[in-house]
């Protein structure tokens, strides 16, 4: 019975002629012929019902000599693969004759742990967690496969990074997301096998087109980190663009390749950062030689640098780190782990170290201080299991280093270089439906296509606009009444050299005329939540990272018409359920309040203060406020003050710009700064002071104007205000300190 069981097991795995040799301490040893090459192999069977992983390991160690056959090396090629035969558990280990120095070992873990990772992804998340900038997010520029893994990874990264510069492979491309298979020893030391997937195959083959893509994605960056898990050509183009646009620091992580880096790439970067084995490979040396001491590391680093001016930053594990720049050598010892902590998983330690170094350099730290900061981040990363889960936050690192008040807000720089970089980083979107105006000026509209395709095409002609916001479900319904695929709209947006920005929920009048989340009918409230969740799923498919909800019908017209307390509680429950849902929790979800509308004269969310109360009551970290300037004016508010209030609660997710006369409480949707220029100046200053990094959306309604020219003017005026406020910032600060209105207005008049 035992022999029959074993023969069937081996036959399924490519072996024949199995014969028992002897019984060992933990199971019988068999000999069998491997069909593909005819080799005779020794195999061990664990026939006990409750055989443990430790049994397998013990067997391979204790009986290794007995299992060597034909003078070859005995390799474990499979680990206790459990299968059932007549309700008896049978585990087995195959000991094969191998050649060379390749050794495969049995794992002691019983199952596989899955987590999001990858060098670029890990480093982007680590940089976001370590930055001092308020609301600052590192941008991740990469490629996601068309598979479920790509969707999962993109959702995970959206929570902490800006993925607007990344691309998901088109459906049907057959390109899957890259994967890494990480193996850990008992002491937490990692090794890995990486399959590149989309990050290896998904880049534009046209160099100039790819460079144009990078110019947009790297706009306003201080530091760029590159990894060698993408083709070298891609890194060379990215580094070239980074230099062109004035990026201050470029760090190349050597991980992903053990070969010498392209000389053209080394000439473009400031730092190349290998570990010991990567350094050895790049220098053409043996790992044992590089590991022999300080002098060997320095020698290898100088070989890697060659004639370039690049500095080599090498991580040495428990021996710390070494920075070699020509004849100069800087060494920083490894940090001891926090009291009571132990090394669990070193997989992301290098990623944490390099991201921390890049963040520190962006903060103008010295190289030695940056290495110390990085050493602390790397040390904390080894104390937790998993790549992304182990990456530390800034507060953790500063506490570990004993630093107090490290992220105190520094004065806003008024230098022309920093101002120019900030202006360059500004990103704009404009109301898509405004492109319906003055159709007589749009002479090459395509016939017989969904209207939204032509709107996107026309928006693509606006100089200075980067993103498209789409209304849901309006813009996703074709002329035949069928739903348009989000991926098709995404492709149209990218073809117009734009980016998906946000999906904006617009509830139809029926069945929501008495409200969406505040509707007295629970069935309709659930319908509203379902529509919002579908909008989130659509945003994910579109590669957008934000959903904006305008609750147009959540209000009333007459006294004694509504139960205010019940409506408020219903809204809290509804928004919380949507924000925490599987479809929405990885996205930013915001409410865009409007105090009055022809569909509901009194809104249940009438002011910025009320909107912030709602945000606090919902209590979900991905739920915030989109502030519309026209709506704030209609509420009798000062938009700059409203921005400051929302920012103070970390709840300002979006800003929509326009202007209006507000006659009869109407929202005019006029051009930015056309009616209230001083209020517009103060609004720009307020956004600058909080380092607002989101897309600025122009919510305007041109009637007689060319909508393309109007959108261009809006962007141009905002940029102009942003630049001119720098010249009078000091004077305005002084005037505000003494509440001197005359001095403040005099300063504004000189803008």
């Amino acid at each position: 019975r035992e022999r029959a069981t074993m023969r069937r097991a081996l036959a399924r795995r490519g072996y024949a002629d199995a014969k028992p040799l002897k019984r060992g301490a933990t199971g019988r040893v068999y000999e069998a012929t491997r069909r593909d090459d005819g080799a005779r192999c020794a195999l061990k069977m664990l026939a006990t019902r409750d055989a443990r992983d430790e049994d397998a390991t013990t067997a391979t160690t204790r009986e290794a000599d007995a299992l060597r056959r034909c003078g070859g090396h005995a390799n474990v090629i499979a680990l206790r693969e459990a299968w059932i035969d007549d309700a008896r558990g049978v585990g087995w280990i195959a000991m094969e004759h191998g050649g060379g120095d390749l050794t495969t070992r049995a794992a002691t873990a019983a199952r596989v742990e899955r987590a999001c990772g990858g060098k670029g992804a890990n480093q982007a998340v680590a940089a976001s967690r370590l930055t001092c900038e308020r609301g600052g997010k590192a941008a991740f520029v990469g490629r996601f496969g068309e598979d479920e893994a790509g969707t999962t990874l993109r959702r995970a990264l959206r929570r902490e990074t800006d993925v607007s510069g990344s691309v998901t492979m088109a459906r049907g491309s057959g390109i899957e997301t890259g994967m890494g298979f990480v193996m850990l020893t008992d002491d937490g030391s990692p090794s890995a096998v990486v399959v590149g997937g989309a990050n290896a195959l998904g880049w534009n083959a046209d160099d100039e087109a790819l460079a144009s893509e990078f110019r947009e994605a790297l706009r306003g960056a201080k530091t760029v980190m590159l990894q060698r898990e993408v083709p070298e050509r891609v890194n060379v183009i990215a580094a070239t663009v980074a230099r062109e646009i004035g990026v201050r620091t470029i760090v190349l992580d050597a991980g992903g390749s053990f070969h010498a880096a392209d000389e053209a790439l080394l000439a473009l970067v400031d730092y190349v950062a290998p570990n010991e084995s990567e350094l050895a490979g790049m220098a053409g040396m043996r790992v044992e030689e590089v590991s022999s001491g300080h002098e060997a590391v320095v020698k290898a680093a100088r070989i890697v640098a060659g004639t370039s001016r690049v500095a080599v930053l090498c991580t040495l594990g428990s021996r710390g780190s070494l920075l070699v720049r020509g004849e100069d050598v800087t060494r920083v010892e490894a940090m001891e782990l926090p009291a009571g902590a132990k090394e669990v998983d070193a997989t992301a330690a290098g990623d944490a170290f390099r991201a921390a170094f890049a963040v520190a350099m962006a903060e103008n730290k010295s190289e030695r201080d940056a290495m110390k900061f990085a050493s602390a981040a790397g040390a904390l990363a080894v104390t937790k299991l998993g790549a992304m889960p182990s990456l530390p936050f800034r507060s953790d690192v500063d506490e570990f280093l004993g630093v107090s008040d490290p992220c105190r807000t520094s004065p806003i720089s008024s230098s022309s270089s920093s101002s120019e970089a900030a202006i360059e980083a500004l990103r704009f979107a404009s109301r898509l439906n405004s492109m319906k105006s003055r159709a007589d000026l749009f002479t090459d509209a395509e016939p017989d296509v969904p209207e939204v395709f032509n709107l996107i095409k026309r928006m693509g002609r606006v100089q200075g606009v980067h993103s498209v916001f789409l209304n849901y479900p309006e813009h996703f319904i074709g002329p035949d009444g069928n739903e348009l695929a989000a991926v098709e709209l995404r492709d149209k947006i990218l073809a117009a050299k734009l980016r998906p920005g946000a999906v904006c929920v617009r509830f139809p009048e029926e069945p929501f005329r008495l409200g969406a989340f505040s509707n007295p009918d629970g069935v309709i409230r659930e319908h509203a939540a379902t529509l919002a969740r579908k909008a989130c799923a659509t945003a994910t498919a579109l590669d957008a990272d934000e959903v904006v909800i305008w609750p147009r019908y959540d209000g009333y017209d007459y006294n004694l018409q509504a139960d205010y307390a019940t409506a408020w509680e219903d809204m809290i429950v509804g928004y919380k359920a949507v924000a925490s849902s599987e479809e929405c929790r990885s996205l930013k979800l915001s409410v865009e309040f409007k105090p009055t509308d022809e569909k509901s004269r009194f809104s249940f969310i009438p002011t910025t203060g009320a909107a912030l109360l709602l945000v606090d009551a919902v209590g979900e970290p991905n739920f915030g406020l989109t502030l519309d300037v026209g709506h704030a004016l209609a509420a009798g508010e000062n938009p700059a003050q409203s921005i400051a209030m929302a920012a103070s609660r970390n709840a300002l997710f979006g800003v929509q710009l326009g202007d209006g006369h507000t006659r009869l409480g109407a929202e005019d949707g006029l051009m930015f700064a056309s009616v209230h220029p001083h209020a517009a100046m103060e609004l720009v200053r307020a956004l600058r002071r909080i380092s607002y990094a989101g897309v600025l959306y122009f919510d305007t309604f041109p009637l007689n104007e060319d909508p393309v020219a109007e959108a261009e003017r809006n962007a141009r005026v905002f940029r102009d205000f942003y630049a001119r406020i720098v010249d009078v910032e000091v004077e305005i600060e002084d005037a505000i300190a003494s509440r001197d209105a005359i001095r403040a207005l005099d300063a504004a008049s000189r803008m």
Side-chain angles (χ1 to χ4, degrees):
R1 181 185 182 89
E2 178 186 289
R3 292 178 187 179
T5 298
M6 188 63 172
R7 285 175 182 141
R8 287 197 299 271
L10 294 176
R12 284 200 285 263
R13 290 160 178 81
Y15 295 91
D17 303 326
K19 297 179 181 179
L21 294 180
K22 70 182 187 69
R23 180 175 292 281
T26 57
R28 182 177 295 279
V29 177
Y30 281 75
E31 185 179 57
T33 300
R34 192 169 55 201
R35 290 196 190 100
D36 59 0
D37 60 5
R40 290 295 285 174
C41 306
L43 304 109
K44 170 168 279 290
M45 168 180 156
L46 303 177
T48 57
R49 178 178 301 178
D50 299 318
R52 298 173 300 157
D53 296 316
E54 291 82 349
D55 296 331
T57 307
T58 302
T60 62
T61 303
R62 185 186 308 162
E63 303 187 70
D65 291 338
L67 297 173
R68 296 180 192 275
R69 305 290 300 170
C70 307
H73 186 77
N75 289 331
V76 181
I77 63 162
L79 62 95
R80 283 189 70 256
E81 183 177 353
W83 55 282
I84 302 299
D85 178 70
D86 294 336
R88 293 186 63 194
V90 177
W92 69 289
I93 295 177
M95 307 294 288
E96 295 196 0
H97 314 310
D101 57 3
L102 178 64
T103 302
T104 310
R105 294 182 173 86
T108 57
R111 53 184 172 181
V112 175
E113 299 288 343
R114 290 177 174 83
C116 294
K119 283 190 171 294
N122 290 340
Q123 290 169 17
V125 170
S128 290
R129 292 181 181 182
L130 293 168
T131 184
C132 263
E133 294 183 16
R134 286 172 293 182
K137 280 187 175 183
F140 173 76
V141 183
R143 295 295 184 265
F144 300 104
E146 61 164 336
D147 51 351
E148 182 61 30
T151 301
T152 300
L153 182 57
R154 189 172 192 114
R155 283 178 177 172
L157 285 173
R158 266 205 198 102
R159 298 187 187 107
E160 300 187 71
T161 71
D162 175 4
V163 297
S164 61
S166 294
V167 175
T168 298
M169 296 296 95
R171 188 172 300 169
S173 66
I175 300 178
E176 298 182 337
T177 303
M179 297 187 70
F181 302 87
V182 181
M183 286 123 332
L184 302 175
T185 60
D186 289 339
D187 65 359
S189 299
S191 61
V193 176
V194 176
V195 180
N199 262 334
L201 304 172
W203 300 93
N204 197 319
D206 184 319
D207 288 359
E208 184 50 45
L210 185 57
S212 178
E213 190 178 318
F214 282 139
R215 287 187 191 99
E216 176 67 22
L218 303 182
R219 186 191 302 271
K222 297 178 183 176
T223 302
V224 168
M225 301 186 70
L226 305 172
Q227 299 78 30
R228 299 185 75 192
E229 291 179 345
V230 300
E232 202 91 323
R233 158 187 165 268
V234 174
N235 278 334
V236 170
I237 294 172
T240 300
V241 169
R243 285 289 174 234
E244 287 176 0
I245 65 177
V247 170
R248 191 163 60 198
T249 305
I250 304 177
V251 180
L252 171 65
D253 183 340
S257 174
F258 290 92
H259 302 294
D262 190 305
E263 291 184 6
L265 180 58
L266 289 181
L268 290 165
V269 305
D270 300 290
Y271 301 91
V272 58
N275 60 26
E276 280 185 291
S277 59
E278 293 157 355
L279 180 66
M282 295 175 74
M285 298 169 63
R286 290 183 297 107
V287 176
E288 295 79 6
E289 184 181 356
V290 172
S291 302
S292 63
H294 174 93
E295 294 77 12
V297 174
V298 174
K299 174 185 174 182
R302 287 175 177 155
I303 292 173
V304 169
T307 59
S308 72
R309 300 177 61 185
V310 68
V312 182
L313 176 63
C314 185
T315 50
L316 308 173
S318 61
R319 302 195 332 270
S321 58
L322 207 66
L323 180 68
V324 180
R325 184 193 299 278
E327 296 301 315
D328 297 329
V329 178
T330 303
R331 183 170 185 172
V332 170
E333 296 293 332
M335 298 281 292
E336 293 187 9
L337 299 184
K342 64 178 182 178
E343 184 171 330
V344 175
D345 181 0
T347 301
D351 294 332
F353 180 98
R354 293 170 182 87
F357 180 83
V359 168
M361 295 306 295
E363 294 176 0
N364 297 318
K365 285 182 167 59
S366 68
E367 288 178 336
R368 180 176 290 277
D369 286 344
M371 291 169 69
K372 290 179 180 178
F373 181 71
S375 181
L380 290 174
V382 306
T383 63
K384 294 181 180 179
L385 186 65
M388 282 188 189
S390 72
L391 299 170
F393 288 86
R394 181 61 177 256
S395 57
D396 300 324
V397 176
D398 288 327
E399 182 180 356
F400 186 31
L401 291 171
V403 177
S404 60
D405 200 17
C407 291
R408 183 177 60 248
T409 303
S410 57
I412 297 175
S413 171
S414 60
S415 69
S416 60
S417 60
S418 63
S419 178
E420 289 171 3
I423 293 170
E424 186 66 18
L426 294 172
R427 296 174 184 271
F428 300 106
S430 191
R431 179 171 164 267
L432 190 59
N433 281 348
S434 71
M435 294 295 123
K436 296 179 181 181
S437 297
R438 295 299 306 273
D440 57 304
L441 301 176
F442 186 34
T443 58
D444 59 341
E446 298 178 32
D448 304 321
V449 300
E451 181 185 46
V452 67
F453 290 0
N454 278 318
L455 299 181
I456 292 170
K457 178 180 178 180
R458 196 176 187 188
M459 184 67 76
R461 296 176 180 175
V462 180
Q463 297 296 313
V465 164
H466 310 93
S467 300
V468 171
F469 284 33
L470 295 169
N471 292 345
Y472 185 86
E474 175 192 352
H475 290 144
F476 294 85
I477 303 298
D480 57 0
N482 293 322
E483 188 169 348
L484 298 174
V487 67
E488 186 177 10
L489 281 170
R490 183 196 69 191
D491 290 345
K492 292 293 183 183
I493 291 170
L494 295 177
K497 299 189 182 304
L498 297 166
R499 296 277 182 192
V503 171
C504 304
V505 176
R506 297 292 184 262
F507 294 107
E509 187 163 0
E510 295 299 339
F512 299 108
R513 64 169 57 250
L514 293 181
F517 292 106
S518 68
N519 198 290
D521 187 333
V523 173
I524 295 178
R525 292 198 301 273
E526 182 56 38
H527 185 16
T530 299
L531 189 146
R533 290 196 300 270
K534 287 182 178 179
C536 288
T538 300
T540 298
L542 191 69
D543 285 345
D545 64 355
E546 183 177 2
V547 171
V548 182
I549 297 177
W550 175 31
R552 184 180 192 184
Y553 298 97
D554 281 319
Y556 59 98
D557 298 313
Y558 295 95
N559 297 113
L560 303 176
Q561 182 183 0
D563 184 333
Y564 313 123
T566 298
W568 185 256
E569 290 302 319
D570 286 341
M571 288 193 301
I572 293 171
V573 171
Y575 281 114
K576 187 175 185 66
V578 171
S580 61
S581 68
E582 176 67 25
E583 298 90 342
C584 300
R585 64 187 181 192
S586 64
L587 304 173
K588 291 189 295 183
L589 183 73
S590 61
V591 60
E592 174 196 348
F593 89 89
K594 185 179 181 182
T596 184
D597 186 87
E598 62 180 8
K599 301 298 183 182
S600 53
R601 271 72 168 189
F602 289 92
S603 171
F604 287 129
I605 315 172
T607 64
T608 297
L612 291 176
L613 282 174
L614 179 66
V615 170
D616 283 348
V618 170
E620 295 294 331
N622 64 322
F623 184 64
L625 169 63
T626 284
L627 184 71
D628 184 296
V629 170
H631 298 179
L633 290 172
E637 297 182 356
N638 175 4
Q641 182 182 4
S642 301
I643 285 170
M645 290 170 60
S648 72
R649 305 294 298 169
N650 293 318
L652 185 64
F653 283 15
V655 177
Q656 300 191 358
L657 303 170
D659 211 334
H661 300 291
T662 64
R663 299 184 67 183
L664 301 177
E667 179 197 5
D668 297 323
L670 300 183
M671 286 180 276
F672 177 68
S674 59
V675 180
H676 299 91
H678 285 173
M681 292 175 193
E682 188 178 29
L683 179 148
V684 171
R685 180 177 181 271
L687 291 171
R688 183 173 180 272
R689 288 185 65 80
I690 64 171
S691 300
Y692 180 76
V695 175
L696 295 158
Y697 175 87
F698 294 110
D699 189 19
T700 54
F701 298 74
L703 298 178
N704 301 309
E705 296 75 30
D706 178 352
V708 172
E710 189 226 38
E712 289 177 344
R713 180 197 178 277
N714 285 331
R716 186 172 62 250
V717 169
F718 190 98
R719 288 178 182 275
D720 186 46
F721 276 27
Y722 202 98
R724 289 158 62 191
I725 198 74
V726 174
D727 298 331
V728 295
E729 176 62 34
V730 173
E731 189 172 354
I732 288 178
E733 282 190 351
D734 290 344
I736 288 174
S738 59
R739 301 280 177 90
D740 190 334
I742 294 175
R743 189 175 180 186
L745 291 174
D746 285 345
S749 68
R750 289 191 289 276
M751 285 181 56

